[in-house]
Amino acid sequence: MTEVLPQFKIVTPDCVEAAIAALAGAPDARACAGGTDIVVALRKGLSETGTLVDLTGIAALRETATGADGGMVIGAGVTLAAIERMPEIGERYPAIARAAAAVAGPTHREVATLGGNLCLDTRCVYYNQSHWWRKSNDFCLKYRGDTCHVAPQGNRCRAAFSGDMAPALMAHGAEIEIAGPDGTRRLPLAEFYHEDGAAHLALNPGEIVVAAHLPPAGGVSDYAKIRVRGAIDFPLAGVAVATEPGSAGTTFRIAVTGTNSKPLLVDFPDALTGESNADAFFAAMQKAVQKAVSPQRTTTIAPHYRRLSVSALTARVARGLVGLAA
Amino acid sequence: MKRVVSLTVNGREVEDIIPDNLLLIDYLRERRGLTGTKQGCDGGECGACTVLVNGRPRLSCVTLAASCAGAEVETVEAQAHGGRLSALQRAFHENLGAQCGFCTPGMIMTAEALLRDEPDPDEDRIREALGGNLCRCTGYVKIIRSVRAAAEELKA
C-alpha cells in the first residue's frame, strides 16, 4: 500500500459561490480540479490541507464562449485534452492548442485543467522530492526550511514556474478572471504572477480562477518547449510567440516559461518589415530573450544551457511564424 | 472523513465505505484485491497504474477513490473473458510486448482506450497515446507492434 495520504475531507460544491464559501470557511482548504499537481504534492508532503475543495462538479467552469469583443472565454475547468482538440482554439489561437498538447502525457491531460495549469506550483530539484529526501537536506526556503539551496545567499525562493499554458495565453494577451469572497476581478495574466517561487500567484485566500479571456487574435502563433523526455515532462524552458500584423510591420509578443519563478513577457517592440534584415532582426530578438530570462539551478540541466536554448527556440518559432526557415 | 460510494468495478456494481484520502490504486489493490494494476513511480509519472474511468485512461495513483462515485472503473482484470485473453493481451503475449511485465497492465489499458476511440491507429497515433506510459525493458518497438497487431485482429 502506498504511503497514506494525510487526513482531509473532500467537499464537492456545485457552483462557484459554494466553492468560495468552502474555501473561505477553512483557512487551510485547497482547491482541486484534475488533481495531477496537488494530489502528488499532498502525497509527497509538499502541501497540507484539512479540506480539499473539488471543483470538478461545477459545470460553469467547464464552459467556453465567444467573448463580447469577439474573442474567446475559456473556463478554468476545461480540460487540457479538450483545449487540445477544440478546432476553434486550434484555428484562432494555435499556440494555446500546442501548449495544451505539450503538457505532461495524454493521460494527465484527460483530467488536468486550464485553471490547474495556470495555478501550477513552482518546481525545483530541491523541492520536488520525497519527504525524507527534503528532511535530510534540512528542507528548503519554499517549504518548512529557511535556506534556498539554489541561491543560499538570497532571501527568496527560486523555484521555477513550469506551466505551459500561461505563456501561450500571455502571448495572446489574455486576462484572467478570479472569483473570491469580494466578488470577481480581472487582470492581465502577466500580473497574476510574482517573481517569488514560494508565493508566485496573486491569489488571495478564498479566491479561485474562473476563466481566461482572450481578445480576438490578430496574427498567428505557436508554442515550443524543451524538456528531458519528449513525450512527458515539465518544460526546462518553453516559449510562445504570437504575431501582430500592423501598418509599420509585424511585431511579436513573446512569453517564456520554465526560466523564472513566473512566466515572463519579453519586451521586444521592434517590427519586422519588408526592408528588415531578417537575420539581424531575429538575432536581436534572441538577445532580448537571453537578457530577460534568469534560469537557476532548479533542474538537473545547467541554467546556461536553458538560457541559450530558450532564446534559440524563440527565434526558431518566430521565424517559422513568418515563413522563414529556422 | 469517510463516505459510502457506489461505483462499478469491472462490470460489477459495488458499494463501499471509502475514506476521502484513499487513492484509487489503493482501493483497487487493497480493498478489491485487483492487484493487476501496478504501482510504479507513485507520482503520476510512469503510467503503470493506468485504469479506465468511464472509458478514459486515468492514473489511479493520483486519483482519489471518492472522486469515482458513480463512475465505471475498469482494470486489466476486465480484459480476459471466459478464460480467453483479450485481443490486446494476446497481441502483447505473441509479439513479446511484455518483458518484465510491470508496465504492461498500464500499457494495455491505455491501448484499450485508444482502440475503442480509434480502432485503426497508425504507429504515430499509438506512440502519441502511449506517450505517458514508460517501459524500461522493451524499447517500445514490440509494444507498438503489439497494439497494431491487436488492432488488426479486432478488424478481422
Side-chain angles (χ1 to χ4, degrees):
Chain A
M1 181 138 167
T2 47
E3 208 174 318
V4 178
L5 278 166
Q7 288 289 337
F8 55 76
K9 70 166 196 263
I10 302 173
V11 292
T12 48
D14 58 2
C15 64
V16 172
E17 292 72 26
I20 292 163
L23 284 166
D28 68 343
R30 296 289 311 267
C32 173
T36 50
D37 193 33
I38 193 166
V39 174
V40 179
L42 288 168
R43 297 192 59 182
K44 293 196 168 176
L46 295 171
S47 181
E48 288 164 62
T49 183
T51 309
L52 207 56
V53 182
D54 179 358
L55 304 176
T56 53
I58 305 175
L61 295 181
R62 290 195 299 270
E63 285 169 6
T64 55
T66 305
D69 56 357
M72 197 170 175
V73 187
I74 309 176
V78 177
T79 66
L80 299 180
I83 290 176
E84 183 185 342
R85 295 183 198 129
M86 224 175 274
E88 199 190 346
I89 295 179
E91 282 156 24
R92 297 175 66 189
Y93 308 102
I96 294 174
R98 289 287 299 274
V103 175
T107 315
H108 300 93
R109 301 196 293 270
E110 288 286 333
V111 292
T113 61
L114 174 65
N117 196 262
L118 293 178
C119 295
L120 189 74
D121 195 7
T122 53
R123 298 182 63 81
C124 177
V125 74
Y126 293 97
Y127 172 70
N128 298 98
Q129 300 286 357
S130 65
H131 177 80
W132 64 261
W133 193 104
R134 286 176 290 119
K135 189 175 174 215
S136 60
N137 203 29
D138 243 355
F139 297 103
C140 75
L141 187 60
K142 181 163 164 64
Y143 192 55
R144 299 182 68 171
D146 51 19
T147 306
C148 172
H149 302 296
V150 170
Q153 318 294 324
N155 55 6
R156 78 160 178 89
C157 166
R158 304 281 173 162
F161 180 75
S162 305
D164 292 294
M165 299 308 290
L169 290 164
M170 278 158 64
H172 277 290
E175 288 195 340
I176 190 166
E177 184 182 339
I178 296 163
D182 302 325
T184 61
R185 61 189 175 109
R186 258 170 82 162
L187 68 164
L189 184 56
E191 291 173 23
F192 181 58
Y193 298 102
H194 302 307
E195 186 67 296
D196 179 351
H200 68 299
L201 298 179
L203 212 51
N204 299 320
E207 285 188 326
I208 58 168
V209 174
V210 175
H213 294 256
L214 292 159
V220 287
S221 70
D222 202 358
Y223 176 78
K225 75 196 259 195
I226 52 165
R227 45 183 161 177
V228 175
R229 298 171 295 186
I232 165 179
D233 235 326
F234 291 98
L236 293 168
V239 61
V241 184
T243 62
E244 198 67 59
S247 52
T250 302
T251 52
F252 296 80
R253 272 177 78 93
I254 302 161
V256 177
T257 186
T259 61
N260 289 59
S261 292
K262 64 174 187 177
L264 296 178
L265 264 178
V266 177
D267 188 30
F268 187 70
D270 302 6
L272 180 72
T273 65
E275 279 88 65
S276 304
N277 174 338
D279 286 341
F281 179 87
F282 289 107
M285 177 185 283
Q286 210 163 319
K287 267 269 165 332
V289 174
Q290 258 186 53
K291 240 176 99 179
V293 300
S294 51
Q296 305 283 322
R297 292 182 303 112
T298 54
T299 73
T300 53
I301 309 295
H304 185 60
Y305 171 82
R306 282 155 63 212
R307 183 190 297 274
L308 292 183
S309 34
V310 71
S311 59
L313 201 58
T314 307
R316 188 187 298 170
V317 170
R319 291 180 75 104
L321 290 177
V322 292
L324 291 170
Chain B
M1 202 179 132
K2 292 176 177 166
R3 62 189 68 212
V4 178
V5 174
S6 309
L7 69 167
T8 307
V9 180
N10 294 341
R12 184 192 292 182
E13 281 178 34
V14 292
E15 201 175 62
D16 250 318
I17 297 172
I18 293 181
D20 281 7
N21 65 346
L22 183 68
L23 291 164
L24 181 58
I25 187 165
D26 291 331
Y27 172 71
L28 293 170
R29 289 179 57 91
E30 308 295 327
R31 292 281 196 87
R32 303 242 61 93
L34 297 169
T35 52
T37 303
K38 299 294 180 242
Q39 184 182 341
C41 69
D42 217 10
E45 294 175 39
C46 77
C49 68
T50 306
V51 298
L52 302 190
V53 176
N54 293 330
R56 303 301 307 163
R58 186 77 76 83
L59 298 166
S60 61
C61 81
V62 294
T63 303
L64 293 166
S67 73
C68 296
E72 202 169 306
V73 178
E74 288 168 78
T75 69
V76 71
E77 284 89 347
Q79 286 276 309
H81 276 292
R84 205 175 136 73
L85 296 180
S86 71
L88 268 166
Q89 285 175 314
R90 201 163 34 254
F92 269 72
H93 176 62
E94 288 171 1
N95 292 276
L96 306 179
Q99 203 160 309
C100 87
F102 202 79
C103 72
T104 313
M107 290 284 180
I108 287 184
M109 295 318 283
T110 308
E112 171 73 30
L114 172 69
L115 294 183
R116 281 186 202 174
D117 234 24
E118 295 172 49
D120 195 18
D122 61 14
E123 187 183 320
D124 284 349
R125 269 301 292 142
I126 296 170
R127 281 180 178 277
E128 220 173 273
L130 294 179
N133 292 77
L134 304 190
C135 170
R136 304 283 83 166
C137 305
T138 63
Y140 302 103
V141 173
K142 290 179 176 177
I143 291 174
I144 291 158
R145 193 178 295 158
S146 302
V147 179
R148 262 313 305 164
E152 292 296 334
E153 186 188 322
L154 290 167
K155 219 165 41 168

